[in-house]
mmCIF file of all heavy atoms in Angstrom:
data_model
loop_
_atom_site.group_PDB
_atom_site.id
_atom_site.type_symbol
_atom_site.label_atom_id
_atom_site.label_comp_id
_atom_site.label_asym_id
_atom_site.label_seq_id
_atom_site.Cartn_x
_atom_site.Cartn_y
_atom_site.Cartn_z
ATOM 1 N N PHE A 110 18.758 22.865 39.233
ATOM 2 C CA PHE A 110 18.540 22.209 40.529
ATOM 3 C C PHE A 110 17.050 21.890 40.568
ATOM 4 O O PHE A 110 16.213 22.798 40.591
ATOM 5 C CB PHE A 110 18.936 23.127 41.693
ATOM 6 C CG PHE A 110 18.673 22.490 43.031
ATOM 7 C CD1 PHE A 110 19.486 21.472 43.508
ATOM 8 C CD2 PHE A 110 17.593 22.891 43.811
ATOM 9 C CE1 PHE A 110 19.227 20.864 44.739
ATOM 10 C CE2 PHE A 110 17.329 22.286 45.043
ATOM 11 C CZ PHE A 110 18.157 21.271 45.500
ATOM 12 N N PHE A 111 16.714 20.599 40.552
ATOM 13 C CA PHE A 111 15.300 20.224 40.422
ATOM 14 C C PHE A 111 14.589 20.238 41.765
ATOM 15 O O PHE A 111 15.109 19.746 42.770
ATOM 16 C CB PHE A 111 15.171 18.859 39.743
ATOM 17 C CG PHE A 111 15.626 18.898 38.305
ATOM 18 C CD1 PHE A 111 16.764 18.218 37.902
ATOM 19 C CD2 PHE A 111 14.934 19.665 37.373
ATOM 20 C CE1 PHE A 111 17.189 18.275 36.583
ATOM 21 C CE2 PHE A 111 15.359 19.733 36.047
ATOM 22 C CZ PHE A 111 16.496 19.039 35.652
ATOM 23 N N THR A 112 13.391 20.824 41.763
ATOM 24 C CA THR A 112 12.613 21.035 42.986
ATOM 25 C C THR A 112 11.248 20.346 42.840
ATOM 26 O O THR A 112 11.078 19.485 41.970
ATOM 27 C CB THR A 112 12.446 22.545 43.243
ATOM 28 O OG1 THR A 112 11.673 23.095 42.162
ATOM 29 C CG2 THR A 112 13.800 23.254 43.324
ATOM 30 N N LEU A 113 10.295 20.763 43.660
ATOM 31 C CA LEU A 113 9.001 20.069 43.692
ATOM 32 C C LEU A 113 7.847 20.886 43.161
ATOM 33 O O LEU A 113 6.777 20.356 42.868
ATOM 34 C CB LEU A 113 8.646 19.681 45.137
ATOM 35 C CG LEU A 113 9.773 19.079 45.968
ATOM 36 C CD1 LEU A 113 9.266 18.735 47.351
ATOM 37 C CD2 LEU A 113 10.326 17.856 45.280
ATOM 38 N N CYS A 114 8.016 22.211 43.104
ATOM 39 C CA CYS A 114 6.894 23.101 42.779
ATOM 40 C C CYS A 114 7.452 24.512 42.646
ATOM 41 O O CYS A 114 8.677 24.701 42.695
ATOM 42 C CB CYS A 114 5.864 23.068 43.917
ATOM 43 S SG CYS A 114 6.569 23.593 45.502
ATOM 44 N N GLY A 115 6.582 25.491 42.516
ATOM 45 C CA GLY A 115 7.045 26.870 42.395
ATOM 46 C C GLY A 115 7.726 27.356 43.665
ATOM 47 O O GLY A 115 8.848 27.879 43.634
ATOM 48 N N ALA A 116 7.055 27.160 44.784
ATOM 49 C CA ALA A 116 7.586 27.693 46.046
ATOM 50 C C ALA A 116 8.970 27.138 46.367
ATOM 51 O O ALA A 116 9.846 27.880 46.825
ATOM 52 C CB ALA A 116 6.602 27.393 47.178
ATOM 53 N N THR A 117 9.177 25.846 46.122
ATOM 54 C CA THR A 117 10.506 25.282 46.445
ATOM 55 C C THR A 117 11.579 25.790 45.471
ATOM 56 O O THR A 117 12.760 25.845 45.832
ATOM 57 C CB THR A 117 10.486 23.733 46.469
ATOM 58 O OG1 THR A 117 9.722 23.256 45.357
ATOM 59 C CG2 THR A 117 9.898 23.205 47.763
ATOM 60 N N SER A 118 11.178 26.168 44.259
ATOM 61 C CA SER A 118 12.147 26.800 43.353
ATOM 62 C C SER A 118 12.534 28.171 43.898
ATOM 63 O O SER A 118 13.710 28.551 43.899
ATOM 64 C CB SER A 118 11.549 26.968 41.947
ATOM 65 O OG SER A 118 11.177 25.721 41.419
ATOM 66 N N ILE A 119 11.525 28.910 44.375
ATOM 67 C CA ILE A 119 11.772 30.256 44.908
ATOM 68 C C ILE A 119 12.630 30.174 46.178
ATOM 69 O O ILE A 119 13.633 30.890 46.308
ATOM 70 C CB ILE A 119 10.433 30.973 45.232
ATOM 71 C CG1 ILE A 119 9.537 31.075 43.989
ATOM 72 C CG2 ILE A 119 10.689 32.339 45.875
ATOM 73 C CD1 ILE A 119 9.937 32.045 42.938
ATOM 74 N N GLU A 120 12.238 29.300 47.115
ATOM 75 C CA GLU A 120 13.005 29.186 48.370
ATOM 76 C C GLU A 120 14.479 28.922 48.077
ATOM 77 O O GLU A 120 15.366 29.525 48.687
ATOM 78 C CB GLU A 120 12.485 28.022 49.235
ATOM 79 C CG GLU A 120 11.108 28.185 49.807
ATOM 80 C CD GLU A 120 10.979 29.299 50.834
ATOM 81 O OE1 GLU A 120 11.994 29.736 51.410
ATOM 82 O OE2 GLU A 120 9.841 29.752 51.045
ATOM 83 N N ASN A 121 14.732 28.002 47.166
ATOM 84 C CA ASN A 121 16.120 27.654 46.874
ATOM 85 C C ASN A 121 16.846 28.774 46.145
ATOM 86 O O ASN A 121 18.040 28.977 46.358
ATOM 87 C CB ASN A 121 16.177 26.327 46.110
ATOM 88 C CG ASN A 121 15.925 25.160 47.059
ATOM 89 O OD1 ASN A 121 16.760 24.862 47.908
ATOM 90 N ND2 ASN A 121 14.756 24.553 46.970
ATOM 91 N N ALA A 122 16.116 29.534 45.328
ATOM 92 C CA ALA A 122 16.727 30.701 44.659
ATOM 93 C C ALA A 122 17.141 31.744 45.705
ATOM 94 O O ALA A 122 18.238 32.309 45.636
ATOM 95 C CB ALA A 122 15.745 31.314 43.668
ATOM 96 N N LEU A 123 16.272 31.979 46.675
ATOM 97 C CA LEU A 123 16.551 32.987 47.703
ATOM 98 C C LEU A 123 17.757 32.559 48.551
ATOM 99 O O LEU A 123 18.656 33.354 48.828
ATOM 100 C CB LEU A 123 15.321 33.196 48.596
ATOM 101 C CG LEU A 123 14.036 33.663 47.877
ATOM 102 C CD1 LEU A 123 12.867 33.737 48.859
ATOM 103 C CD2 LEU A 123 14.242 35.008 47.187
ATOM 104 N N LYS A 124 17.773 31.288 48.933
ATOM 105 C CA LYS A 124 18.891 30.799 49.755
ATOM 106 C C LYS A 124 20.205 30.871 48.972
ATOM 107 O O LYS A 124 21.231 31.292 49.503
ATOM 108 C CB LYS A 124 18.643 29.339 50.163
ATOM 109 C CG LYS A 124 17.688 29.210 51.321
ATOM 110 C CD LYS A 124 17.846 27.874 52.019
ATOM 111 C CE LYS A 124 17.054 26.814 51.315
ATOM 112 N NZ LYS A 124 17.030 25.542 52.038
ATOM 113 N N LEU A 125 20.128 30.468 47.708
ATOM 114 C CA LEU A 125 21.349 30.465 46.903
ATOM 115 C C LEU A 125 21.832 31.899 46.671
ATOM 116 O O LEU A 125 23.041 32.168 46.730
ATOM 117 C CB LEU A 125 21.088 29.758 45.562
ATOM 118 C CG LEU A 125 22.326 29.468 44.722
ATOM 119 C CD1 LEU A 125 23.322 28.597 45.486
ATOM 120 C CD2 LEU A 125 21.950 28.779 43.412
ATOM 121 N N ALA A 126 20.896 32.823 46.432
ATOM 122 C CA ALA A 126 21.286 34.225 46.219
ATOM 123 C C ALA A 126 22.021 34.748 47.460
ATOM 124 O O ALA A 126 23.012 35.468 47.357
ATOM 125 C CB ALA A 126 20.049 35.076 45.933
ATOM 126 N N ARG A 127 21.524 34.360 48.636
ATOM 127 C CA ARG A 127 22.153 34.841 49.874
ATOM 128 C C ARG A 127 23.523 34.206 50.091
ATOM 129 O O ARG A 127 24.475 34.890 50.441
ATOM 130 C CB ARG A 127 21.226 34.548 51.057
ATOM 131 C CG ARG A 127 20.058 35.510 51.088
ATOM 132 C CD ARG A 127 19.024 35.117 52.116
ATOM 133 N NE ARG A 127 18.067 36.212 52.289
ATOM 134 C CZ ARG A 127 16.900 36.090 52.901
ATOM 135 N NH1 ARG A 127 16.539 34.942 53.410
ATOM 136 N NH2 ARG A 127 16.094 37.120 53.023
ATOM 137 N N THR A 128 23.610 32.899 49.893
ATOM 138 C CA THR A 128 24.915 32.267 50.140
ATOM 139 C C THR A 128 25.923 32.689 49.058
ATOM 140 O O THR A 128 27.091 32.911 49.361
ATOM 141 C CB THR A 128 24.812 30.729 50.203
ATOM 142 O OG1 THR A 128 24.193 30.261 49.012
ATOM 143 C CG2 THR A 128 24.003 30.262 51.391
ATOM 144 N N TYR A 129 25.464 32.854 47.838
ATOM 145 C CA TYR A 129 26.377 33.226 46.753
ATOM 146 C C TYR A 129 26.934 34.630 46.942
ATOM 147 O O TYR A 129 28.131 34.865 46.794
ATOM 148 C CB TYR A 129 25.654 33.122 45.401
ATOM 149 C CG TYR A 129 26.520 33.543 44.229
ATOM 150 C CD1 TYR A 129 27.501 32.695 43.714
ATOM 151 C CD2 TYR A 129 26.363 34.805 43.636
ATOM 152 C CE1 TYR A 129 28.296 33.082 42.650
ATOM 153 C CE2 TYR A 129 27.157 35.203 42.569
ATOM 154 C CZ TYR A 129 28.121 34.332 42.087
ATOM 155 O OH TYR A 129 28.920 34.724 41.040
ATOM 156 N N THR A 130 26.046 35.570 47.295
ATOM 157 C CA THR A 130 26.495 36.977 47.394
ATOM 158 C C THR A 130 27.022 37.310 48.786
ATOM 159 O O THR A 130 27.709 38.324 48.947
ATOM 160 C CB THR A 130 25.332 37.952 47.102
ATOM 161 O OG1 THR A 130 24.301 37.727 48.080
ATOM 162 C CG2 THR A 130 24.765 37.762 45.704
ATOM 163 N N GLY A 131 26.652 36.522 49.788
ATOM 164 C CA GLY A 131 27.006 36.875 51.167
ATOM 165 C C GLY A 131 26.176 38.049 51.672
ATOM 166 O O GLY A 131 26.470 38.637 52.711
ATOM 167 N N LYS A 132 25.129 38.411 50.933
ATOM 168 C CA LYS A 132 24.250 39.517 51.336
ATOM 169 C C LYS A 132 22.883 38.936 51.740
ATOM 170 O O LYS A 132 22.622 37.749 51.543
ATOM 171 C CB LYS A 132 24.124 40.516 50.181
ATOM 172 C CG LYS A 132 25.510 41.032 49.713
ATOM 173 C CD LYS A 132 25.437 42.287 48.881
ATOM 174 C CE LYS A 132 25.281 42.034 47.405
ATOM 175 N NZ LYS A 132 25.257 43.295 46.618
ATOM 176 N N HIS A 133 22.007 39.759 52.327
ATOM 177 C CA HIS A 133 20.800 39.145 52.906
ATOM 178 C C HIS A 133 19.462 39.696 52.438
ATOM 179 O O HIS A 133 18.451 39.025 52.539
ATOM 180 C CB HIS A 133 20.874 39.212 54.433
ATOM 181 C CG HIS A 133 21.117 40.589 54.963
ATOM 182 N ND1 HIS A 133 22.369 41.160 55.002
ATOM 183 C CD2 HIS A 133 20.272 41.519 55.427
ATOM 184 C CE1 HIS A 133 22.289 42.375 55.488
ATOM 185 N NE2 HIS A 133 21.025 42.630 55.749
ATOM 186 N N LYS A 134 19.409 40.939 51.944
ATOM 187 C CA LYS A 134 18.086 41.481 51.617
ATOM 188 C C LYS A 134 17.601 41.030 50.235
ATOM 189 O O LYS A 134 18.387 40.866 49.305
ATOM 190 C CB LYS A 134 18.115 43.014 51.663
ATOM 191 C CG LYS A 134 18.310 43.549 53.068
ATOM 192 C CD LYS A 134 18.072 45.039 53.145
ATOM 193 C CE LYS A 134 18.539 45.538 54.509
ATOM 194 N NZ LYS A 134 18.219 46.935 54.757
ATOM 195 N N ILE A 135 16.298 40.878 50.148
ATOM 196 C CA ILE A 135 15.659 40.506 48.883
ATOM 197 C C ILE A 135 14.627 41.586 48.570
ATOM 198 O O ILE A 135 13.781 41.904 49.414
ATOM 199 C CB ILE A 135 14.923 39.148 48.987
ATOM 200 C CG1 ILE A 135 15.857 38.034 49.516
ATOM 201 C CG2 ILE A 135 14.274 38.770 47.660
ATOM 202 C CD1 ILE A 135 16.942 37.562 48.583
ATOM 203 N N LEU A 136 14.696 42.156 47.373
ATOM 204 C CA LEU A 136 13.719 43.169 46.952
ATOM 205 C C LEU A 136 12.719 42.541 45.986
ATOM 206 O O LEU A 136 13.124 41.771 45.097
ATOM 207 C CB LEU A 136 14.444 44.330 46.243
ATOM 208 C CG LEU A 136 14.876 45.537 47.095
ATOM 209 C CD1 LEU A 136 15.636 45.108 48.336
ATOM 210 C CD2 LEU A 136 15.697 46.514 46.275
#
Side-chain angles (χ1 to χ4, degrees):
F110 178 74
F111 293 113
T112 64
L113 316 181
C114 59
T117 43
S118 301
I119 302 287
E120 293 294 340
N121 284 290
L123 301 176
K124 280 201 276 187
L125 190 58
R127 285 171 169 166
T128 55
Y129 178 78
T130 61
K132 304 197 271 182
H133 54 279
K134 292 191 191 187
I135 306 289
L136 267 50

